[in-house]
Amino acid sequence: MHKMWVKGPVGADATYRVTRRACRNVLVMVPTMTAGARLMDLVPLLDGDHRVQTVFTVPHADEAWQYTAEFVSARGGLSLPWNQARQHTWDLVLAASHRHIEQVRGKLLILPHGAGNLMSRRYSRKARGATRPTTGLDAELLVYRGRVLPAVIALTHERELHALRRSCPEALPTAVIAGDICLDRMSASAPYRKQYRAALGIGDNDRLVTISSTWSASSTFGCHPDLYNRLLGEGGVVAAAVLHPMIWAVHGVWQVRSWLAPAIARGLRVIRPDAGWQATMIASDHVIGDHGSTTSYAAAIGRTVSLAAYPEHDIHKGSIADRLARHSPRLDMSKPIVPQLRGGVGRRNDMAKVISSRPGRAASILRTCMYRLLGLPEPSWRPSLCPVPLPSPLWI
């Protein structure tokens, strides 16, 4: 049964129950696990500030994607019911999705939930039966009843500014080129590669191949569900599976485990959908993937990459996925897999520059934006990026 109202730190009578008074109130919108995972890169920039109170909400929790509420709960976030969150005016709202942002009141900062704001897919799954070209910076996403919704749109690259100028010029004053905080965090975590491998049970002489899949029928898992078992059946490698959270949300944990059962029996490490994919990419020696963001992030931190699936007809030319595909070998599924895992995009590549034009600066730029919207001076300490957490496979 859903809570109707939470006696938390906001509301008309909150002053009588809070321990810290006069805090600026921040709302973190988590409509999907994917958006929540990206926001967990951002929210720690407020750590240590006793002037700020952060709460979470799962919009329309009664019909939200599966496991989203559990994602927030597992992180200890105080979660307000959606109807309650909509009643309050917030000092800052953080979002990594356009879902329901027109329904909240407060200064909104929005950033992409994947690699870049410009979607690699040519057609939106929601745009008129997937027949109309779209990007992640369209006016229909950013403007509601003539009002630009975000106070800050966090862009990752200059080319996104050019795209915004074409697609929604009225939003240009809100744009800030901030870089990519997820990539920065992964890069800063590279020195912990040995610890991440140990957490996965990978020895010094083991070769870890991670199979990454976005969701949809054109993804790695959608096209080649037998790839995991085939790879392990050939021997000579240890394998991990990183599946997009939407796969878990739509099909359920039981079904995903059932589908992967033969490979799990051979030692497949199945990474949790809510955490661990970043560390697994750092720990990997080779990544087999598709047009999803996780594959591009793997290439950007220097992992060698091969593509098992790639919907060429549905990818924007010049997009991040397109740039990756130009330099990544395609697996031939009629031949053994392991001998094909040679070369590909590796340590000498420009994928990091394709994803972000502000390398290493996202934390600093985004924190400055957050405190400007909060109307507070920034803390005296420098913003830092904590290492990504150790991976914790569901099954080994």
Side-chain angles (χ1 to χ4, degrees):
M1 184 175 180
H2 296 298
K3 295 180 180 179
M4 300 299 293
W5 208 262
V6 169
K7 291 186 178 295
V10 298
D13 58 347
T15 186
Y16 299 106
R17 57 177 174 262
V18 296
T19 300
R20 287 289 303 165
R21 291 186 174 181
C23 284
R24 297 289 203 274
N25 291 309
V26 178
L27 178 69
V28 183
M29 292 182 63
V30 187
T32 66
M33 201 187 311
T34 312
R38 179 53 50 91
L39 291 169
M40 292 312 298
D41 290 330
L42 180 66
V43 174
L45 298 180
L46 299 170
D47 282 355
D49 195 334
H50 300 166
R51 302 170 297 172
V52 177
Q53 164 76 54
T54 302
V55 300
F56 298 76
T57 189
V58 178
H60 297 291
D62 55 338
E63 56 183 41
W65 293 106
Q66 185 132 347
Y67 312 124
T68 306
E70 291 86 344
F71 174 91
V72 174
S73 177
R75 279 143 189 82
L78 176 64
S79 185
L80 297 188
W82 176 236
N83 284 336
Q84 183 178 357
R86 290 193 302 165
Q87 299 300 314
H88 190 72
T89 298
W90 302 91
D91 298 297
L92 175 63
V93 178
L94 301 177
S97 167
H98 298 96
R99 295 173 185 269
H100 315 301
I101 58 175
E102 77 285 354
Q103 299 181 46
V104 291
R105 294 183 290 182
K107 297 174 182 176
L108 171 68
L109 185 157
I110 189 165
L111 70 166
H113 58 258
N117 287 280
L118 301 176
M119 295 188 303
S120 290
R121 293 180 67 99
R122 183 175 296 165
Y123 300 111
S124 168
R125 297 181 179 90
K126 297 186 292 184
R128 297 181 184 175
T131 61
R132 184 176 58 182
T134 184
T135 74
L137 295 174
D138 293 335
E140 66 184 35
L141 300 174
L142 302 174
V143 179
Y144 182 72
R145 293 182 176 176
R147 176 174 65 95
V148 176
L149 294 170
V152 169
I153 302 172
L155 307 180
T156 62
H157 204 283
E158 271 83 4
R159 69 174 175 274
E160 295 185 347
L161 191 64
H162 303 321
L164 184 65
R165 184 174 290 112
R166 294 190 302 269
S167 63
C168 189
E170 59 267 50
L172 278 173
T174 72
V176 174
I177 302 174
D180 190 301
I181 194 168
C182 176
L183 178 58
D184 286 356
R185 195 176 178 203
M186 292 176 73
S187 299
S189 302
Y192 302 97
R193 172 176 158 86
K194 186 172 183 179
Q195 288 93 321
Y196 297 145
R197 288 174 66 86
L200 291 168
I202 308 300
D204 292 341
N205 297 320
D206 289 332
R207 186 181 177 195
L208 174 61
V209 177
T210 294
I211 302 175
S212 170
S213 180
T214 189
W215 64 295
S216 83
S218 58
S219 68
T220 303
F221 192 54
C223 293
H224 307 291
D226 61 334
L227 176 59
Y228 308 83
N229 196 43
R230 278 189 57 189
L231 179 67
L232 287 165
E234 292 180 20
V237 300
V238 182
V242 169
L243 303 174
H244 193 286
M246 288 292 287
I247 297 175
W248 301 87
V250 172
H251 296 288
V253 173
W254 183 91
Q255 186 60 72
V256 171
R257 189 192 186 285
S258 176
W259 280 331
L260 294 175
I264 292 170
R266 284 175 154 158
L268 178 70
R269 276 75 166 159
V270 182
I271 306 305
R272 302 175 62 89
D274 58 339
W277 73 266
Q278 295 154 303
T280 304
M281 294 302 170
I282 295 169
S284 299
D285 297 296
H286 196 103
V287 173
I288 297 173
D290 52 28
H291 56 288
S293 292
T294 53
T295 309
S296 294
Y297 280 123
I301 62 168
R303 302 290 84 85
T304 56
V305 168
S306 300
L307 295 180
Y310 188 72
E312 198 145 5
H313 66 285
D314 193 21
I315 299 296
H316 278 294
K317 297 300 180 184
S319 67
I320 290 175
D322 176 59
R323 295 285 292 273
L324 176 68
R326 295 179 198 177
H327 305 288
S328 300
R330 314 289 175 89
L331 292 182
D332 183 343
M333 293 300 164
S334 68
K335 298 178 180 178
I337 303 300
V338 174
Q340 297 182 63
L341 303 183
R342 302 283 188 271
V345 175
R347 297 193 180 279
R348 292 184 178 182
N349 71 86
D350 63 353
M351 283 306 300
K353 295 179 181 178
V354 172
I355 291 175
S356 170
S357 60
R358 299 290 187 273
R361 296 175 55 193
S364 176
I365 295 172
L366 288 170
R367 193 179 77 164
T368 295
C369 291
M370 292 162 70
Y371 276 91
R372 171 167 61 83
L373 298 180
L374 285 168
L376 292 173
E378 284 192 67
S380 57
W381 57 87
R382 295 180 60 184
S384 60
L385 291 173
C386 55
V388 300
L390 293 171
S392 178
L394 287 170
W395 306 287
I396 295 184

